Amino acid sequence: MGISNRNKWIAAIAFILIMGTLAALIIEKDSPPISQTDVNILKELPESFTFFELGPNTRYNDTIRSRLSRSLGSDAISYKSQIDLTINSSDFLQTFFPEIYKLNLILNYPPRERVEYDVIKLMYRYSKKIDVPFKYVELVFSGYSHKPLYFKIIVSHDGSNVIDSLHQKYGTPQKIEESAQNISSSYWIKNKDTLIVDNQKDRFGNPEYHIMIYFVNSIEELIDIVKKGVQKREEKIRKAGDKAF
């Protein structure tokens, strides 16, 4: 290869490296302006509820994913998703758990728009095939702190022992009974975090238990992180506008 051709190759490689660097800067600029320090200073949260030993201060990692796969089977994973805290019906939280309802409104504002967050969502749909009574399991972790935000679990009619174990571990729950609305639910609250068991029926009329574990402290933490990111971005835009004139 002649010197001229070699110089062309060197120039081409340099151009590719420069463009790659610029692309990385653009991606970084368009990402939420949340520094690693913001994540690291998040305080330890009070203990509350657990599922497969995952609690409020668990930090998601690949080891945890592998362990869950051994217990629940194969998973599907998503890193960008909406956050839906609904259980039973759209009115259930508003009526009986207004604080969680408010958090759900904040997370899904503006309404009728698809608002997505940086999360780690694990979904298990075939757990019954490996001899555990879960029809569906959804575990959602913050993409910033890697702490759990909420767990959604559907237990089949042959999993009443799961409900019994909740009573043994967390004591006698508070009850919600509304026969007119066909609502029969139990719940526990510990350090703001909330565990709800809603009794429903499957399409064959068999009892089915819908469980939601809301790590309220972690959800509030996520909202605070996102707000800080928006404020930083707005400040950056304002400063850029000031410089223009």
Side-chain angles (χ1 to χ4, degrees), residues 17-221:
L17 290 173
I18 291 169
M19 292 305 294
T21 302
L22 287 174
L25 288 172
I26 291 169
I27 291 170
E28 183 180 355
K29 182 187 71 175
D30 290 339
S31 299
I34 298 168
S35 70
Q36 190 60 39
T37 305
D38 292 327
V39 177
N40 290 337
I41 63 173
L42 298 179
K43 60 184 180 301
E44 286 286 295
L45 300 175
E47 293 300 328
S48 58
F49 308 105
T50 61
F51 178 71
F52 280 103
E53 300 181 359
L54 306 177
N57 291 296
T58 300
R59 302 290 181 119
Y60 171 84
N61 56 39
D62 290 339
T63 301
I64 285 174
R65 186 182 180 189
S66 298
R67 178 164 60 82
L68 288 168
S69 294
R70 290 193 293 272
S71 301
L72 296 171
S74 60
D75 64 26
I77 190 167
S78 172
Y79 295 99
K80 200 86 172 175
S81 177
Q82 289 179 288
I83 293 178
D84 182 12
L85 305 181
T86 304
I87 183 174
N88 187 290
S89 70
S90 57
D91 297 328
F92 181 82
L93 289 178
Q94 185 175 11
T95 303
F96 301 107
F97 300 93
E99 293 304 317
I100 297 176
Y101 174 75
K102 288 176 185 175
L103 294 175
N104 202 40
L105 284 182
I106 292 169
L107 290 164
N108 290 282
Y109 185 85
R112 294 181 294 278
E113 289 190 20
R114 185 177 179 85
V115 183
E116 294 188 326
Y117 292 90
D118 289 326
V119 299
I120 303 153
K121 179 192 284 188
L122 298 175
M123 294 160 284
Y124 304 85
R125 299 181 186 276
Y126 306 104
S127 296
K128 285 199 71 177
K129 293 183 179 179
I130 56 171
D131 300 323
V132 292
F134 304 120
K135 297 177 71 173
Y136 178 72
V137 175
E138 181 179 304
L139 310 176
V140 181
F141 300 82
S142 167
Y144 302 108
S145 67
H146 288 194
K147 295 176 186 176
L149 298 171
Y150 66 93
F151 295 159
K152 179 183 295 184
I153 305 127
I154 300 178
V155 181
S156 60
H157 67 277
D158 53 354
S160 57
N161 61 310
V162 173
I163 308 306
D164 292 339
S165 68
L166 290 176
H167 287 239
Q168 292 172 12
K169 186 170 184 179
Y170 300 119
T172 304
Q174 299 184 66
K175 296 278 190 178
I176 299 171
E177 298 287 347
E178 293 282 348
S179 55
Q181 301 178 55
N182 199 27
I183 294 174
S184 176
S185 304
S186 306
Y187 68 95
W188 294 261
I189 298 176
K190 187 175 181 181
N191 294 321
K192 290 174 64 173
D193 293 352
T194 305
L195 191 164
I196 301 173
V197 178
D198 186 52
N199 300 337
Q200 299 188 24
K201 292 186 183 296
D202 65 17
R203 57 195 180 97
F204 302 108
N206 296 315
E208 189 174 79
Y209 308 97
H210 289 228
I211 300 173
M212 287 288 285
I213 302 177
Y214 300 100
F215 295 98
V216 173
N217 296 291
S218 191
I219 294 170
E220 291 177 342
E221 201 173 68

